[in-house]
């Protein structure tokens, strides 16, 4: 079964635009769990422009599903996740000012840094996932760090889906097989949506998890959150 982890950053963005607590990040996270999602994802950035450190601490004791925290493993981020101890930490190579994740790690060039980071997470009992492009060599390197999983950066698939979905999926199938070969669990995320998710899952049925935020929150404006979560879950059957 492929789990759906909903990234709630955009809920926090809306809340922060007024400086109050409406919509409540905690209330919506619990509602999304109730609607059937198997996980909640947050990406606390240094400027706290959406999810704040305080949100991470507030969510941890409330959630009953898997809690995934994404971020660049700067000292402040590592201090946060080692205190909170979520189910999973997804390591991304984003610069502090990045609007959104736009590439996977060059694991080969950063293998010592990532290996040390993964070791810290593993010692704390946290599943470690490394955000990567669909490159079998980088996935092999991720396995050498001791990571539990990789998360495939799926924007290239989403961008190419309408023109030629077979060509768009091909490198991701190869990357997924490389992850299996090296004993890694497999996550995926970025620009997956109701149009392209079902085909992605059909071609890579052994996905452990997809993390979806922006598209899902946009769809919720049209369908409502409960119906939207169920539509995404239907794509993963």
């Amino acid at each position: 079964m492929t789990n759906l982890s909903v990234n709630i950053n955009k809920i926090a963005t809306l809340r922060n635009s007024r400086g109050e607590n409406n919509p409540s990040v905690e209330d919506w996270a619990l509602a999304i769990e109730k609607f059937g999602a198997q996980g909640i994802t947050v990406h606390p950035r240094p400027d706290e422009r959406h999810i704040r450190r305080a949100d991470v601490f507030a969510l941890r004791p409330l959630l009953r599903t898997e809690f995934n925290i994404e971020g660049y493993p700067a000292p402040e981020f590592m201090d946060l996740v080692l205190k909170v101890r979520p189910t999973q930490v997804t390591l991304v190579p984003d610069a502090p000012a990045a609007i959104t994740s736009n590439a996977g790690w060059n694991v080969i060039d950063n293998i010592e840094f990532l290996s040390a980071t993964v070791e810290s997470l593993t010692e704390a009992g946290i599943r470690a996932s490394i955000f990567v492009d669909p490159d079998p060599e980088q996935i092999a390197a991720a396995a050498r760090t001791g990571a539990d999983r990789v998360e495939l950066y799926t924007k290239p698939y989403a961008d190419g889906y309408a023109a030629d979905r077979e060509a768009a999926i091909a490198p991701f199938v190869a990357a997924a097989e490389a992850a299996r070969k090296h004993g890694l669990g497999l996550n995926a995320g970025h620009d997956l949506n109701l149009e392209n998710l079902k085909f992605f899952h059909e071609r890579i049925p052994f996905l452990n998890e997809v993390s979806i935020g922006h598209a899902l929150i946009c769809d919720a404006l049209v369908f409502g959150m409960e119906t939207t979560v169920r539509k995404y879950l239907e794509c993963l059957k």
Side-chain angles (χ1 to χ4, degrees):
M1 180 178 179
T2 301
N3 286 347
L4 171 66
S5 186
V6 177
N7 187 317
I8 60 171
N9 282 7
K10 291 299 166 64
I11 294 173
T13 300
L14 181 59
R15 176 202 61 188
N16 293 354
S17 69
R18 290 293 294 267
E20 298 176 355
N21 193 37
N22 187 25
S24 164
V25 167
E26 298 98 280
D27 288 351
W28 274 108
L30 294 176
I32 289 165
E33 286 188 325
K34 179 181 176 182
F35 299 152
Q38 296 95 353
I40 298 294
T41 292
V42 297
H43 187 153
R45 294 183 180 274
D47 60 6
E48 296 195 320
R49 64 178 181 266
H50 36 64
I51 289 293
R52 301 167 178 157
R53 288 176 61 92
D55 296 326
V56 178
F57 286 107
L59 286 165
R60 184 66 182 99
L62 299 177
L63 298 179
R64 296 295 175 262
T65 60
E66 291 198 347
F67 191 21
N68 173 46
I69 303 179
E70 300 177 348
Y72 178 81
E76 298 81 5
F77 177 83
M78 292 302 295
D79 176 70
L80 174 66
V81 298
L82 291 174
K83 286 177 178 175
V84 172
R85 299 201 178 195
T87 314
Q88 176 176 267
V89 167
T90 301
L91 304 172
V92 298
D94 295 5
I99 294 175
T100 187
S101 301
N102 56 20
W105 281 95
N106 185 327
V107 184
I108 296 168
D109 286 356
N110 294 278
I111 195 161
E112 292 185 6
F113 173 60
L114 289 170
S115 295
T117 303
V118 167
E119 183 177 8
S120 295
L121 296 173
T122 301
E123 288 177 351
I126 302 167
R127 183 198 305 142
S129 179
I130 298 179
F131 195 62
V132 294
D133 297 316
D135 180 340
E137 291 187 2
Q138 296 294 342
I139 291 168
R144 294 197 295 274
T145 69
D148 302 288
R149 295 185 184 180
V150 290
E151 179 174 330
L152 299 179
Y153 172 58
T154 50
K155 181 172 173 56
Y157 163 74
D159 289 346
Y161 177 84
D164 187 342
R165 65 182 187 175
E166 290 292 346
I169 196 68
F172 290 88
V173 173
E177 292 293 354
R180 291 184 91 183
K181 173 184 174 182
H182 292 287
L184 291 165
L186 186 66
N187 299 342
H190 208 95
D191 285 2
L192 295 173
N193 58 38
L194 289 175
E195 179 183 3
N196 61 42
L197 178 59
K198 182 176 177 63
F199 180 71
F200 191 89
H201 182 250
E202 287 172 348
R203 295 298 302 272
I204 310 175
F206 50 87
L207 279 170
N208 294 106
E209 172 188 293
V210 293
S211 176
I212 303 176
H214 183 82
L216 190 149
I217 300 302
C218 289
D219 288 331
L221 297 175
V222 179
F223 303 115
M225 185 65 80
E226 182 173 4
T227 298
T228 298
V229 170
R230 290 178 178 171
K231 282 178 176 286
Y232 276 87
L233 290 170
E234 188 68 27
C235 292
L236 298 172
K237 284 187 176 179

